[in-house]
Amino acid sequence: MAQTVQFLFDFGSPNAFLSHEAIPAIEARTGAKFDYVPVLLGGIFKATNNRSPAETYAGVKNKREFHQLETERFVRRFKVKPYAWNPNFPVNTLNLMRVAVAAQLEGVFEKYVEAAFHHMWVEPKKMDDLEVAIAALNSSGLDGVGLLARGQEPDVKAKLVANTQDAVERGAFGSPTFFVGTEMFFGKEQLREVEEMIAS
């Protein structure tokens, strides 16, 4: 049986996008399967008193530049396309993440994940604008209106809250976070360690 790795993600994180781009090759090399778990990054930040790198790096000499260098190295190492900075950042991803749960229930999760990451970090849009989001999802062959409506259902909202609370209880403080069994890894750079642990 293939080993399962949990990938806790929020579409608002460009590093989650880069991880998503790198994961298929890791799955192919190792035979492992990454289980995508939608979480709300804002909820995790609130529960852990954390802030986004854009905030924490602000005013720190050389740190933002190093983060850019680190991203360039990641892109080369994992042979993935870089993200296009979303000019609307930060985007409120509450509805997008609720719809991720809805998409799981509706059987269109993989297609939705590809679409949402694409419209956030490949052809970036203001995805917290409902009309923009609906048009974007429709253009990707999804039922934007139906999915956004399903995302407002109580069971969907409750599931996203539960995923987020569980992530914090297990030690998560941001996205992307990975779990190999009980071992937690944070950040796209630790995908190397994730792969090493799978291989061992």
Side-chain angles (χ1 to χ4, degrees), residues 5-150:
V5 181
Q6 286 190 313
F7 170 40
L8 281 56
F9 74 98
D10 184 305
F11 295 117
S13 165
N15 290 328
F17 165 74
L18 290 173
S19 299
H20 167 69
E21 291 293 303
I23 282 170
I26 296 174
E27 290 180 327
R29 286 193 295 268
T30 64
K33 178 65 178 174
F34 281 69
D35 178 26
Y36 281 52
V37 181
V39 296
L40 186 62
L41 189 53
I44 290 178
F45 281 173
K46 185 175 181 180
T48 60
N49 197 33
N50 194 9
R51 294 181 297 161
S52 73
E55 293 178 275
T56 56
Y57 293 174
V60 180
K61 184 175 175 59
N62 298 327
K63 195 165 187 178
R64 189 183 298 273
E65 289 79 4
F66 177 74
H67 177 72
Q68 179 61 36
L69 175 61
E70 194 174 53
T71 296
E72 291 169 1
R73 289 171 176 164
F74 182 92
V75 166
R76 289 196 301 270
R77 180 183 304 120
F78 287 96
K79 299 179 175 62
V80 297
K81 60 177 176 282
Y83 59 80
W85 184 251
N86 193 316
N88 305 290
F89 187 87
V91 173
N92 184 329
T93 58
L94 176 59
N95 283 323
L96 288 179
M97 300 317 300
R98 285 174 173 170
V99 174
V101 174
Q104 288 179 318
L105 299 174
E106 296 297 317
V108 293
F109 183 63
E110 290 186 8
K111 187 173 184 177
Y112 174 73
V113 167
E114 286 293 338
F117 270 130
H118 178 86
H119 294 296
M120 278 291 296
W121 300 110
V122 180
E123 295 181 11
K125 300 172 181 67
K126 186 172 173 52
M127 292 295 285
D128 50 6
D129 181 312
L130 290 181
E131 291 187 3
V132 171
I134 289 169
L137 295 178
N138 288 347
S139 74
S140 294
L142 293 159
D143 176 8
V145 171
L147 283 172
L148 281 159
R150 184 71 174 95

